[in-house]
Amino acid sequence: MLDVGRIVRPHGLKGQVVVELWTNLLERMRPGTELATELRTLVITSAVQTPDSTSHTRWLVAFEGLQSREDAEQFRDAVLRAEPIEVEGALWVHQLIGADLYATDGTLVGRVEAVEANPASDLLILEDGRLVPLTFVSRSGDGRYTVDGPPGLLDLEP
């Protein structure tokens, strides 16, 4: 299960909530979608992007079974989790962490310890402290991750 967002707070008196979406897969907000919380699984009945949200991150959502503000209040700050969705050619953080990176000539570059959000390109943090922009990483057909960056990218010491 992947963390895909969180319930920020209740909205109104009829059980609706404001959801902060952490994924760029907007199909997570479709009616009928199941999102798990620590308390129970919630099923979306309606979801609308909030008017003040220009980045698709805030949604006004109604879930089955949440009929009042009190119902919604028990889910304040709850993390929403969902099954992974396969997207052709996509690289996912949960798959990259712990993965080995290889240079185009097949030599091992290092193992990914973490992924850090960065405006220009997310950065893979290798176990030795080096940073590799995600822009230069691809997945080859055999399930390996390959780094194809500019000269010197991989030669730098941490």
Side-chain angles (χ1 to χ4, degrees):
M1 298 283 276
L2 303 175
D3 294 351
V4 297
R6 79 176 173 96
I7 295 175
V8 178
R9 60 179 170 77
H11 178 82
L13 301 175
K14 297 182 180 180
Q16 291 180 313
V17 295
V18 174
V19 168
E20 179 181 62
L21 194 61
W22 297 338
T23 175
N24 61 352
L25 298 176
L26 301 184
E27 56 261 49
R28 297 286 191 193
M29 292 288 99
R30 287 186 185 147
T33 298
E34 294 183 358
L35 299 172
T37 71
E38 286 188 7
L39 295 175
R40 68 180 171 117
T41 298
L42 299 171
V43 179
I44 295 175
T45 58
S46 68
V48 179
Q49 184 184 353
T50 60
D52 62 336
S53 177
T54 58
S55 62
H56 302 291
T57 60
R58 293 276 174 131
W59 293 76
L60 184 58
V61 180
F63 290 105
E64 286 180 8
L66 301 187
Q67 302 298 317
S68 68
R69 186 172 186 90
E70 291 76 24
D71 292 343
E73 187 64 47
Q74 66 185 319
F75 292 95
R76 180 185 290 268
D77 293 322
V79 173
L80 299 169
R81 306 191 83 208
E83 295 289 335
I85 296 174
E86 290 299 319
V87 177
E88 184 70 30
L91 298 175
W92 300 101
V93 170
H94 70 281
Q95 294 171 327
L96 289 167
I97 295 175
D100 290 328
L101 294 182
Y102 295 87
T104 54
D105 66 3
T107 48
L108 180 64
V109 172
R111 180 163 289 181
V112 179
E113 185 176 89
V115 178
E116 183 176 308
N118 185 44
S121 174
D122 289 348
L123 300 170
L124 303 183
I125 302 171
L126 303 184
E127 287 179 328
D128 64 6
R130 288 183 292 168
L131 303 175
V132 177
L134 188 57
T135 301
F136 302 119
V137 177
S138 63
R139 184 183 352 207
S140 58
D142 60 1
R144 290 172 37 152
Y145 296 93
T146 304
V147 178
D148 188 8
L153 176 70
L154 303 175
D155 298 336
L156 299 175
E157 291 297 316

Short mmCIF file of all heavy atoms in Angstrom, two decimals, residues 125-154:
data_model
loop_
_atom_site.label_atom_id
_atom_site.label_comp_id
_atom_site.label_asym_id
_atom_site.label_seq_id
_atom_site.Cartn_x
_atom_site.Cartn_y
_atom_site.Cartn_z
N ILE A 125 19.20 9.70 -3.54
CA ILE A 125 20.32 9.77 -2.61
C ILE A 125 20.89 8.37 -2.50
O ILE A 125 20.21 7.44 -2.06
CB ILE A 125 19.86 10.29 -1.23
CG1 ILE A 125 19.21 11.66 -1.38
CG2 ILE A 125 21.04 10.34 -0.26
CD1 ILE A 125 18.54 12.17 -0.12
N LEU A 126 22.14 8.23 -2.91
CA LEU A 126 22.79 6.93 -2.86
C LEU A 126 23.36 6.69 -1.47
O LEU A 126 23.56 7.63 -0.69
CB LEU A 126 23.89 6.85 -3.92
CG LEU A 126 23.45 7.10 -5.37
CD1 LEU A 126 24.61 6.88 -6.33
CD2 LEU A 126 22.27 6.22 -5.74
N GLU A 127 23.64 5.44 -1.17
CA GLU A 127 24.17 5.08 0.16
C GLU A 127 25.47 5.81 0.48
O GLU A 127 25.74 6.11 1.63
CB GLU A 127 24.39 3.57 0.26
CG GLU A 127 23.10 2.79 0.36
CD GLU A 127 23.33 1.29 0.45
OE1 GLU A 127 24.31 0.79 -0.14
OE2 GLU A 127 22.52 0.64 1.11
N ASP A 128 26.26 6.14 -0.54
CA ASP A 128 27.53 6.83 -0.29
C ASP A 128 27.36 8.35 -0.24
O ASP A 128 28.34 9.09 -0.14
CB ASP A 128 28.58 6.45 -1.33
CG ASP A 128 28.22 6.87 -2.76
OD1 ASP A 128 27.21 7.57 -2.95
OD2 ASP A 128 28.97 6.51 -3.68
N GLY A 129 26.10 8.84 -0.31
CA GLY A 129 25.84 10.27 -0.19
C GLY A 129 25.74 11.02 -1.51
O GLY A 129 25.34 12.18 -1.53
N ARG A 130 26.10 10.39 -2.62
CA ARG A 130 25.99 11.07 -3.90
C ARG A 130 24.53 11.27 -4.26
O ARG A 130 23.66 10.51 -3.85
CB ARG A 130 26.68 10.27 -5.01
CG ARG A 130 28.20 10.31 -4.90
CD ARG A 130 28.85 9.56 -6.04
NE ARG A 130 28.56 8.13 -5.89
CZ ARG A 130 28.78 7.22 -6.84
NH1 ARG A 130 29.29 7.58 -8.00
NH2 ARG A 130 28.50 5.96 -6.63
N LEU A 131 24.27 12.33 -5.03
CA LEU A 131 22.93 12.65 -5.49
C LEU A 131 22.85 12.44 -7.00
O LEU A 131 23.74 12.88 -7.74
CB LEU A 131 22.59 14.11 -5.17
CG LEU A 131 22.68 14.51 -3.70
CD1 LEU A 131 22.43 16.00 -3.55
CD2 LEU A 131 21.71 13.71 -2.85
N VAL A 132 21.80 11.80 -7.45
CA VAL A 132 21.59 11.57 -8.88
C VAL A 132 20.20 12.10 -9.23
O VAL A 132 19.20 11.60 -8.71
CB VAL A 132 21.69 10.07 -9.23
CG1 VAL A 132 21.40 9.85 -10.71
CG2 VAL A 132 23.04 9.51 -8.85
N PRO A 133 20.12 13.11 -10.11
CA PRO A 133 18.80 13.60 -10.53
C PRO A 133 18.00 12.50 -11.23
O PRO A 133 18.53 11.80 -12.10
CB PRO A 133 19.12 14.75 -11.49
CG PRO A 133 20.52 15.16 -11.13
CD PRO A 133 21.20 13.89 -10.69
N LEU A 134 16.75 12.37 -10.86
CA LEU A 134 15.90 11.33 -11.43
C LEU A 134 15.76 11.47 -12.94
O LEU A 134 15.54 10.49 -13.64
CB LEU A 134 14.51 11.38 -10.76
CG LEU A 134 13.55 10.26 -11.08
CD1 LEU A 134 14.14 8.90 -10.76
CD2 LEU A 134 12.25 10.47 -10.34
N THR A 135 15.95 12.68 -13.45
CA THR A 135 15.88 12.94 -14.88
C THR A 135 16.80 12.01 -15.67
O THR A 135 16.49 11.65 -16.81
CB THR A 135 16.30 14.40 -15.17
OG1 THR A 135 15.43 15.25 -14.46
CG2 THR A 135 16.25 14.73 -16.63
N PHE A 136 17.92 11.60 -15.08
CA PHE A 136 18.91 10.80 -15.79
C PHE A 136 18.76 9.30 -15.55
O PHE A 136 19.62 8.51 -15.94
CB PHE A 136 20.33 11.23 -15.40
CG PHE A 136 20.60 12.68 -15.68
CD1 PHE A 136 20.92 13.56 -14.66
CD2 PHE A 136 20.52 13.18 -16.97
CE1 PHE A 136 21.16 14.90 -14.91
CE2 PHE A 136 20.75 14.51 -17.24
CZ PHE A 136 21.07 15.38 -16.20
N VAL A 137 17.67 8.88 -14.92
CA VAL A 137 17.46 7.47 -14.59
C VAL A 137 16.34 6.91 -15.45
O VAL A 137 15.31 7.53 -15.65
CB VAL A 137 17.12 7.32 -13.09
CG1 VAL A 137 16.84 5.86 -12.75
CG2 VAL A 137 18.26 7.85 -12.22
N SER A 138 16.57 5.69 -15.94
CA SER A 138 15.53 4.99 -16.68
C SER A 138 15.54 3.53 -16.25
O SER A 138 16.50 3.05 -15.64
CB SER A 138 15.77 5.09 -18.19
OG SER A 138 16.98 4.45 -18.53
N ARG A 139 14.48 2.85 -16.56
CA ARG A 139 14.40 1.42 -16.25
C ARG A 139 14.62 0.66 -17.54
O ARG A 139 13.95 0.91 -18.54
CB ARG A 139 13.05 1.07 -15.66
CG ARG A 139 12.98 -0.38 -15.23
CD ARG A 139 11.65 -0.80 -14.70
NE ARG A 139 10.70 0.26 -14.51
CZ ARG A 139 9.73 0.22 -13.63
NH1 ARG A 139 9.61 -0.82 -12.85
NH2 ARG A 139 8.87 1.20 -13.52
N SER A 140 15.58 -0.24 -17.53
CA SER A 140 15.82 -1.04 -18.73
C SER A 140 14.87 -2.23 -18.71
O SER A 140 14.23 -2.52 -17.70
CB SER A 140 17.28 -1.49 -18.79
OG SER A 140 17.61 -2.22 -17.64
N GLY A 141 14.78 -2.91 -19.82
CA GLY A 141 13.85 -4.02 -19.97
C GLY A 141 14.01 -5.13 -18.97
O GLY A 141 13.06 -5.83 -18.67
N ASP A 142 15.18 -5.31 -18.40
CA ASP A 142 15.40 -6.41 -17.47
C ASP A 142 15.11 -6.03 -16.02
O ASP A 142 15.48 -6.75 -15.10
CB ASP A 142 16.83 -6.95 -17.60
CG ASP A 142 17.89 -5.90 -17.30
OD1 ASP A 142 17.52 -4.75 -16.97
OD2 ASP A 142 19.08 -6.22 -17.38
N GLY A 143 14.43 -4.89 -15.80
CA GLY A 143 14.09 -4.48 -14.45
C GLY A 143 15.18 -3.72 -13.72
O GLY A 143 15.02 -3.36 -12.57
N ARG A 144 16.29 -3.48 -14.39
CA ARG A 144 17.38 -2.71 -13.77
C ARG A 144 17.19 -1.23 -14.04
O ARG A 144 16.56 -0.84 -15.01
CB ARG A 144 18.72 -3.16 -14.34
CG ARG A 144 19.11 -4.53 -13.88
CD ARG A 144 20.33 -5.09 -14.54
NE ARG A 144 21.41 -4.17 -14.83
CZ ARG A 144 22.68 -4.51 -14.91
NH1 ARG A 144 23.03 -5.76 -14.70
NH2 ARG A 144 23.60 -3.63 -15.21
N TYR A 145 17.76 -0.42 -13.15
CA TYR A 145 17.71 1.03 -13.30
C TYR A 145 19.06 1.50 -13.79
O TYR A 145 20.10 1.13 -13.26
CB TYR A 145 17.35 1.69 -11.97
CG TYR A 145 15.96 1.30 -11.51
CD1 TYR A 145 15.76 0.23 -10.66
CD2 TYR A 145 14.86 2.01 -11.96
CE1 TYR A 145 14.49 -0.13 -10.25
CE2 TYR A 145 13.58 1.65 -11.56
CZ TYR A 145 13.41 0.59 -10.71
OH TYR A 145 12.14 0.23 -10.32
N THR A 146 19.03 2.33 -14.85
CA THR A 146 20.24 2.79 -15.50
C THR A 146 20.34 4.30 -15.40
O THR A 146 19.35 5.01 -15.58
CB THR A 146 20.23 2.39 -16.99
OG1 THR A 146 20.06 0.98 -17.08
CG2 THR A 146 21.52 2.78 -17.68
N VAL A 147 21.57 4.77 -15.11
CA VAL A 147 21.85 6.21 -15.06
C VAL A 147 22.58 6.58 -16.34
O VAL A 147 23.63 6.00 -16.65
CB VAL A 147 22.74 6.56 -13.84
CG1 VAL A 147 23.03 8.05 -13.83
CG2 VAL A 147 22.07 6.14 -12.56
N ASP A 148 22.02 7.54 -17.07
CA ASP A 148 22.65 8.02 -18.30
C ASP A 148 22.71 9.54 -18.21
O ASP A 148 21.86 10.25 -18.74
CB ASP A 148 21.85 7.57 -19.52
CG ASP A 148 22.55 7.89 -20.83
OD1 ASP A 148 23.73 8.32 -20.79
OD2 ASP A 148 21.92 7.72 -21.89
N GLY A 149 23.71 10.03 -17.49
CA GLY A 149 23.84 11.46 -17.24
C GLY A 149 25.00 12.07 -17.98
O GLY A 149 25.74 11.38 -18.70
N PRO A 150 25.20 13.35 -17.79
CA PRO A 150 26.32 14.05 -18.44
C PRO A 150 27.65 13.56 -17.89
O PRO A 150 27.72 13.03 -16.77
CB PRO A 150 26.06 15.50 -18.10
CG PRO A 150 25.24 15.49 -16.87
CD PRO A 150 24.41 14.25 -16.93
N PRO A 151 28.72 13.75 -18.64
CA PRO A 151 30.05 13.32 -18.17
C PRO A 151 30.34 13.97 -16.81
O PRO A 151 30.07 15.15 -16.57
CB PRO A 151 31.00 13.84 -19.24
CG PRO A 151 30.15 13.99 -20.45
CD PRO A 151 28.77 14.34 -19.97
N GLY A 152 30.88 13.18 -15.90
CA GLY A 152 31.27 13.66 -14.59
C GLY A 152 30.21 13.54 -13.51
O GLY A 152 30.51 13.66 -12.33
N LEU A 153 28.97 13.29 -13.89
CA LEU A 153 27.89 13.19 -12.91
C LEU A 153 28.19 12.14 -11.85
O LEU A 153 28.02 12.38 -10.66
CB LEU A 153 26.56 12.87 -13.58
CG LEU A 153 25.38 12.64 -12.63
CD1 LEU A 153 24.96 13.94 -11.96
CD2 LEU A 153 24.20 12.02 -13.36
N LEU A 154 28.66 10.99 -12.28
CA LEU A 154 28.89 9.88 -11.37
C LEU A 154 30.31 9.87 -10.79
O LEU A 154 30.60 9.08 -9.91
CB LEU A 154 28.60 8.56 -12.06
CG LEU A 154 27.17 8.46 -12.61
CD1 LEU A 154 27.00 7.17 -13.40
CD2 LEU A 154 26.15 8.56 -11.51
#
